[in-house]
């Protein structure tokens, strides 16, 4: 904040309270000033006017001078000194009305600056303050008791009805519904929720009633994390902001010196009053508010626009850097594709039953969170297979899993890795043949090995995200030179996806090779963003100049491992980010120009005697106007991404009327139909 009337670290509410008090003082001072003006015109004796203006100046200028003195006493220079000095000088010269007006305009500037800054912060706060305070907890007998949402504990079960805010993060225990997750994910299309699905505190339950088992409550929820991150991001600084902080100490003395020089010469040639007016006007116009506000107001506005679309930028440094990216490395599974794989083929080896192959694969994969593991688990559930608990389990990143069940060792994973464990040449050839077979073409394949014996393979398919190709086209139009898909999956799958996206690709890459690729791009001078879902790509994410985690809602790891957390899975947020970064940079440049030109040009003009008798008040008005121009210019950024939002709203509205299921009453868990078992080959 430009003038430090208000401590940054106060809570918003307290700040708002302070601002309210200041408005009253300002209004009072302003009224007195106007009375003083009228009095000085209507009464012959100027005394009444002067007394009123004097009181107004003390009311308005008092705090200003007080803060300046306090700053001086603490040994740091701020811009307050310049204005304070101007007010004191005008007061000392007996120009009470001028002194009053300078103080008045300064305070108006401060109020609007603070209001707007608070406004931006408050918009984020409002995004955050949606955390509900009430919850309906179910006790052991199934009775609802009203409870404080902040006092919920993991394990509690709460009931939410249509229209309720969901009080905490949790998992649906009974019932189903659609949920508007926009407060967290920035996506207004409601999401279907059924038993076992994850829900987030602060999102809005739309159609049905659900019982939810709390997994995280209070500050631990996703909403709590998001709030912390946004507030932290606002405190971060890009280098130019640090530079301004550093030069601020030199600024005030330099201005004072220049003013002293002008004063020295003009007081000898012109009359002293004129010299004093010039000096006062120069002090006022030199106040660097517009320059100091130029960057932070733009950054905060951009951060809040991004947050609204579910793009959590954790530091303004990354917001600033995004505009200069030249390359992007995309993970495939879960990033460009939905990551919701489907088992489309079971291909048991001779003498093995399809069901046994599936059971073996599912048993080994039980504890894995990899998308392929989930796909297999889901089919096994639908086929109602009973699974044994492995006695040993190990996941080899980017390769597969190893489990020991009933004394037998199961290996499930990619062909190359599995082949390492096959002694029999004929079997190894069989794996290769299967891998190259037309049935496996375009499918992700997992081979299952039991005690060195091949049980067969499982084929999985994944769909590309509908908006992916378009998002990548936009990135290309934005001038990004290299767009590369890097995947651990096999060639034929990677090639198919890359063909749809018109990008380069690299397949069958191990996690550490993803990292090496990023390093290589960087060594060639590229500024690289890595976009991943956090599964087997954490090292690559860490290596990027900027890392972007997809679908971060619900995954603390993803939120924390990347510079930018995308709370939804919508890839169009990535070109939006690059655009936003460029817009923000432009706004900052415009602001600097507005501030620099106003201060530089008018400083010189006032030195040359512009404005005559009105110079001090004119300077105060110009200072307010230029500060406002900067603040409002920045505020334009808050609207960035509105087109995306509107398009999504329209889509949500279109989807709403023909929703497949009417609101359903709670309780009865939907029966599992057991259908959907995959085709047996
Ligand atoms: N838990 C697992 N069970 C079985 N196979 C696995 C497992 N984890 C990895 N694999 C095998 O290793 C390969 C590479 O995995 P990795 O996670 O690196 O990439 P991916 O999921 O295929 O795609 P992307 O790299 O685009 O995310 C997978 O295609 C799969 O064949
Ligand atoms: Zn100022």
């Amino acid at each position: 904040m430009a003038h430090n009337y208000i401590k940054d670290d106060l809570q918003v509410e307290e700040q708002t309270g302070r601002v309210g008090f200041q408005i009253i003082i300002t209004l009072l001072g302003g009224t007195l000033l106007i009375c003083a003006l009228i009095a000085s015109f209507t009464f012959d004796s100027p005394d009444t006017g002067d007394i009123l203006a004097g009181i107004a100046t003390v009311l308005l200028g008092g705090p200003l001078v007080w803060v300046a003195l306090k700053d001086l006493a603490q040994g740091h220079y701020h811009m307050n000194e310049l204005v304070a000095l101007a007010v004191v000088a005008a007061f000392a010269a007996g120009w009470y009305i001028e002194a009053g007006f300078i103080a008045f305009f300064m305070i108006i500037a401060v109020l609007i600056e603070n209001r707007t800054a608070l406004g931006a912060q408050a918009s984020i706060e409002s995004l955050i303050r949606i955390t509900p305070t009430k919850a309906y907890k179910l006790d052991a007998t199934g009775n609802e008791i009203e409870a404080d949402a902040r006092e919920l504990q993991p394990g509690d079960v709460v009931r939410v009805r249509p229209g309720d805010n969901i009080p905490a993060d949790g998992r649906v225990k009974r019932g189903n519904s659609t949920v508007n997750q926009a407060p967290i994910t920035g996506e207004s299309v409601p999401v279907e929720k059924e038993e076992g699905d994850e829900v987030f505190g602060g999102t809005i339950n739309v159609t049905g009633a659900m019982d939810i088992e709390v997994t995280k409550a209070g500050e631990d929820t996703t909403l709590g994390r998001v709030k912390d991150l946004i507030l932290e991001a606002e405190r971060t600084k890009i280098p130019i902001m640090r530079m301004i902080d550093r030069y601020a100490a030199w600024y005030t003395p330099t201005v004072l010196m220049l003013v002293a020089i002008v004063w020295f010469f003009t007081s000898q040639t012109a009359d002293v009053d004129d010299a004093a007016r010039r000096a006062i006007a120069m002090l006022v116009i030199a106040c660097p508010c517009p320059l100091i506000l130029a960057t932070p107001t733009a950054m905060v506005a951009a951060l809040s626009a991004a947050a609204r679309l579910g793009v959590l930028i954790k530091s303004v440094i990354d917001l600033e850097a995004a505009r200069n990216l030249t390359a992007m490395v995309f993970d495939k599974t879960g990033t460009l594709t939905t990551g919701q794989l489907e088992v489309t083929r079971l291909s048991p080896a001779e003498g093995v039953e399809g069901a046994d192959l599936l059971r073996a694969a599912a048993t080994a994969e039980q504890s894995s969170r990899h998308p392929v593991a989930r796909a297999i688990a889901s089919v096994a559930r639908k086929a109602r297979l009973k699974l044994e608990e492995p006695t040993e389990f190990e996941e080899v990143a980017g390769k597969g899993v190893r489990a020991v069940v009933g004394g037998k060792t199961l290996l499930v994973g990619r062909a190359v890795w599995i082949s390492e464990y096959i002694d029999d040449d004929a079997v190894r050839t069989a794996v290769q043949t299967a891998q190259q077979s037309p049935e496996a073409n375009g499918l992700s394949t997992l081979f299952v090995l039991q005690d060195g014996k091949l049980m067969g393979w499982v084929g999985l398919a994944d769909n590309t995200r509908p908006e992916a190709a378009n998002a990548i086209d936009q990135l290309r139009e934005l001038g990004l030179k290299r767009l590369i898909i890097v995947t651990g999956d096999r060639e034929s799958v990677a090639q198919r996806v890359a063909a749809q996206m018109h990008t380069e690709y690299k397949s069958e890459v191990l996690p550490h090779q993803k990292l090496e690729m990023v390093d290589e791009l960087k060594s060639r001078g590229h500024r690289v963003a890595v976009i991943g879902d956090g599964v087997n790509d954490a090292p690559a994410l860490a290596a990027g100049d900027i890392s972007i985690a997809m679908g971060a809602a619900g995954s603390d790891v993803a939120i924390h491992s990347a510079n930018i957390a995308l709370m939804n899975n919508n890839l169009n947020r990535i070109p939006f980010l690059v655009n936003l970064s460029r817009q923000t940079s432009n706004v900052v440049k415009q602001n600097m120009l507005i501030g620099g030109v106003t201060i530089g040009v008018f400083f010189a003009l006032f030195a040359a005697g512009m404005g005559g008798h009105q110079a001090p008040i004119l300077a105060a008005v110009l200072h307010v106007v230029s500060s406002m121009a900067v603040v409002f210019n920045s505020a334009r950024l808050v609207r960035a991404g509105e087109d995306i939002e509107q398009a999504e709203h329209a889509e949500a509205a279109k989807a709403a009327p023909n929703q497949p299921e009417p609101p359903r009453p709670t309780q009865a868990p939907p029966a599992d139909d057991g259908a959907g078992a995959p085709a047996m080959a």
Side-chain angles (χ1 to χ4, degrees):
M1 241 141 271
H3 295 270
N4 297 18
Y5 287 83
I6 295 172
K7 275 251 156 49
D8 303 312
D9 45 10
L10 286 178
Q11 287 302 302
V12 171
E13 286 90 333
E14 285 171 73
Q15 283 182 16
T16 318
R18 273 291 277 290
V19 172
F21 176 68
Q22 284 198 335
I23 286 177
I24 293 171
I25 294 283
T26 311
L27 285 179
L28 193 67
T31 316
L32 282 173
L33 266 182
I34 290 169
C35 293
L37 258 187
I38 295 170
S40 67
F41 286 132
T42 49
F43 297 112
D44 275 342
S45 113
D47 287 354
T48 323
D50 279 351
I51 291 169
L52 290 174
I55 298 172
T57 309
V58 171
L59 269 182
L60 298 166
L64 226 134
V65 175
W66 172 244
V67 172
L69 285 177
K70 236 175 27 187
D71 279 351
L72 275 182
Q74 284 169 6
H76 45 231
Y77 297 97
H78 277 293
M79 44 265 114
N80 294 323
E81 284 82 53
L82 297 174
V83 179
L85 188 60
V87 172
V88 171
F91 199 83
W95 303 330
Y96 301 117
I97 291 184
E98 275 86 348
F101 268 110
I102 294 172
F104 179 73
F105 281 123
M106 283 300 150
I107 291 190
I108 292 289
V110 174
L111 283 178
I112 301 180
E113 285 158 14
N114 284 340
R115 271 278 135 138
T116 329
L118 284 181
Q121 209 179 13
S123 79
I124 293 171
E125 280 276 320
S126 76
L127 215 157
I128 287 155
R129 231 187 258 138
I130 43 173
T131 319
T133 47
K134 244 189 336 190
Y136 294 98
K137 208 162 103 175
L138 297 185
D139 66 11
T141 56
N143 289 325
E144 284 176 43
I145 7 173
E146 204 177 309
D148 187 337
R150 281 161 300 195
E151 273 153 26
L152 289 173
Q153 298 290 331
D156 287 349
V157 178
V158 292
R159 180 162 293 168
V160 291
R161 297 203 162 71
D164 284 353
N165 271 20
I166 294 174
D169 287 4
R171 210 167 286 285
V172 181
K173 224 181 151 189
R174 265 185 298 274
N176 53 33
S177 180
T178 50
V179 173
N180 178 352
Q181 304 202 117
I184 294 268
T185 64
E187 277 191 319
S188 41
V189 183
V191 184
E192 307 270 338
K193 296 286 178 185
E194 54 177 42
E195 219 182 289
D197 284 348
E198 211 175 14
V199 292
F200 304 110
T203 58
I204 303 135
N205 182 30
V206 185
T207 50
M210 295 183 288
D211 291 348
I212 292 163
E213 185 174 337
V214 175
T215 51
K216 284 181 203 150
E219 289 300 297
D220 297 337
T221 57
T222 308
L223 194 65
R225 295 258 179 285
V226 168
K227 173 182 151 180
D228 292 346
L229 285 178
I230 293 180
L231 293 179
E232 256 167 59
E234 285 186 356
R235 280 196 283 270
T236 56
K237 290 187 171 183
I238 60 170
I240 183 149
M241 292 153 94
R242 289 183 207 287
M243 209 175 78
I244 287 185
D245 286 352
R246 220 169 329 121
Y247 284 108
W250 292 98
Y251 187 80
T252 306
T254 311
V255 168
L256 287 176
M257 220 168 63
L258 289 173
V259 173
I261 292 171
V262 172
W263 161 264
F264 177 76
F265 285 109
T266 48
S267 61
Q268 298 199 332
T269 54
D271 70 307
V272 179
D273 273 7
D274 180 46
R277 266 187 223 102
R278 290 186 195 195
I280 292 169
M282 287 166 76
L283 286 174
V284 172
I285 199 68
C287 180
C289 288
L291 289 178
I292 288 174
L293 291 167
T295 318
T297 50
M299 293 289 167
V300 168
L303 287 178
S304 100
R308 217 180 48 233
L309 283 180
V311 183
L312 268 192
I313 306 170
K314 292 198 260 174
S315 161
V316 290
I317 295 174
D318 301 314
L319 172 60
E320 154 71 21
R323 75 196 164 97
N324 291 323
L325 290 170
T326 59
M328 284 197 183
V329 171
F330 293 89
D331 185 49
K332 179 187 67 74
T333 313
T335 304
L336 293 177
T337 66
T338 61
Q340 275 144 14
L341 282 86
E342 229 173 298
V343 175
T344 53
R345 197 165 192 97
L346 286 174
S347 180
E350 270 212 7
V352 180
E353 285 297 316
D356 291 333
L357 171 65
L358 178 60
R359 182 177 295 111
T363 306
E365 295 279 13
Q366 276 176 88
S367 313
S368 171
R369 305 270 295 160
H370 198 277
V372 296
R374 294 185 196 199
I376 291 178
S378 141
V379 184
R381 236 190 345 262
K382 282 189 184 140
R384 295 170 182 262
L385 292 181
K386 279 234 169 57
L387 301 180
E388 264 180 83
E389 220 25 72
T391 47
E392 265 177 57
F393 173 80
E394 179 194 8
E395 178 150 13
V396 187
K399 292 181 174 171
V401 295
R402 184 184 149 272
V404 178
V405 188
K408 289 182 179 158
T409 304
L410 280 171
L411 293 178
V412 183
R414 64 201 280 182
V416 193
W417 180 66
I418 288 288
S419 297
E420 290 171 25
Y421 295 87
I422 300 175
D423 296 327
D424 190 338
D425 278 345
V427 180
R428 217 176 299 138
T429 320
V431 169
Q432 266 194 16
T433 318
Q435 183 82 326
Q436 259 116 48
S437 67
E439 294 89 59
N441 189 33
L443 294 181
S444 307
T445 50
L446 294 182
F447 287 80
V448 181
L449 209 63
Q450 188 180 47
D451 280 342
K453 209 180 108 248
L454 186 67
M455 292 188 76
W457 57 271
V458 182
L460 302 105
D462 196 358
N463 291 316
T464 49
R465 296 189 185 279
E467 75 289 349
N470 187 11
I472 294 214
D473 282 343
Q474 284 181 44
L475 286 169
R476 203 174 290 118
E477 276 161 33
L478 285 169
L480 274 99
K481 300 219 171 54
R482 311 259 328 245
L483 299 163
I484 312 170
I485 301 174
V486 180
T487 177
D489 209 344
R490 47 193 296 238
E491 163 93 22
S492 74
V493 181
Q495 191 185 15
R496 184 173 52 83
V497 176
Q500 283 177 30
M501 311 279 158
H502 313 288
T503 56
E504 310 167 46
Y505 71 91
K506 237 183 142 113
S507 60
E508 316 218 8
V509 182
L510 291 171
H512 72 269
Q513 293 170 324
K514 293 185 185 174
L515 165 125
E516 287 162 13
M517 275 207 51
V518 175
D519 281 340
E520 197 203 305
L521 280 168
K522 277 164 84 175
S523 72
R524 289 210 204 130
H526 279 288
R527 275 169 302 244
V528 189
V530 182
I531 298 111
D533 62 346
V535 179
N536 289 341
D537 49 22
L541 280 173
D545 291 299
I546 290 182
S547 55
I548 303 174
M550 299 275 293
S555 161
D556 271 1
V557 184
I559 291 183
H560 287 288
S561 62
N563 302 129
I564 294 172
L566 206 58
M567 301 306 279
N568 53 55
N569 280 314
N570 203 322
L571 285 159
N572 68 10
R573 302 308 199 252
I574 293 167
F576 161 77
L577 171 71
V578 176
N579 249 325
L580 181 69
S581 173
R582 292 184 184 172
Q583 283 172 326
T584 308
S585 160
N586 285 340
V587 166
V588 169
K589 282 180 197 146
Q590 291 158 5
N591 287 350
M592 289 287 188
L593 200 70
I594 295 171
V597 167
T598 322
I599 293 175
V601 168
F602 286 101
F603 191 76
L605 287 177
F606 283 127
M610 186 189 93
H613 283 281
Q614 266 65 57
I617 293 180
L618 186 61
V621 172
L622 283 168
H623 173 258
V624 176
V625 170
S626 60
S627 300
M628 285 320 78
V630 163
V631 168
F632 287 117
N633 193 36
S634 291
R636 289 187 306 141
L637 286 170
V638 173
R639 306 190 53 184
E642 257 182 4
D643 49 334
I644 296 181
E645 240 180 339
Q646 269 158 14
E648 282 174 11
H649 268 297
E651 204 181 308
K654 224 173 24 193
N658 47 5
Q659 220 147 48
E661 278 169 61
R664 234 197 267 173
T666 176
Q667 312 314 356
D672 194 336
D673 55 7
M680 306 273 173

